[in-house]
Amino acid sequence: MTITIYGIRNCDTMKKARAWLDSHGVVYDFHDYKAAGIAKDRLKQWSDALGWETLLNRAGTTFRKLPDADREGLDEKKALALMLAQPSMIRRPVLDLGGKLVVGFKPEIYERDVKPKKLPRG
């Protein structure tokens, strides 16, 4: 199973999530959606699985700086268009476990869902 973590390289939450994965011996691919973008189809799949409200980072400065007209009357179509145009508005990380998606970083959820490998003691 290939694990992919999606996010932005310099995000503090991303750094914590990647450090957790590294320290638990989890092999993963990293997709920086600020640098590489995100496919419209993939974002729509995530929205179908999780709901666009879960994916949209309303707390970030990118969203808060939007004109009121862009923030009002949000629906899936409008939210997805905003996230595609400015991937910084996608909550992070999005961890694709190959059949299961985890949004955000909480060590206890990673511990439960990622199934870290036992590292040798030494």
Side-chain angles (χ1 to χ4, degrees), residues 6 9 12 15 44 47 61 63-64 83 86 101 103:
Y6 294 84
R9 184 169 308 281
D12 289 340
K15 290 177 184 176
K44 176 67 170 121
S47 180
T61 54
F63 182 82
R64 291 193 318 257
M83 289 184 274
Q86 297 188 53
L101 296 169
V103 178

Side-chain angles (χ1 to χ4, degrees), residues 27-75:
V27 176
Y28 61 91
D29 292 326
F30 171 59
H31 180 97
D32 185 337
Y33 46 55
K34 190 166 185 178
I38 189 76
K40 182 178 182 179
D41 291 346
R42 182 172 310 278
L43 191 60
K44 176 67 170 121
Q45 289 171 348
W46 291 352
S47 180
D48 290 346
L50 302 166
W52 65 266
E53 299 92 340
T54 299
L55 292 172
L56 184 63
N57 181 9
R58 295 174 190 251
T61 54
T62 305
F63 182 82
R64 291 193 318 257
K65 288 182 180 179
L66 286 174
D68 289 342
D70 288 345
R71 290 186 285 162
E72 293 170 359
L74 281 176
D75 59 12

Side-chain angles (χ1 to χ4, degrees), residues 104-122:
F105 173 67
K106 291 192 173 158
E108 62 274 14
I109 292 173
Y110 274 40
E111 193 75 44
R112 181 191 72 211
D113 292 341
V114 178
K115 309 292 186 247
K117 297 177 182 173
K118 301 292 182 200
L119 294 177
R121 295 186 181 236

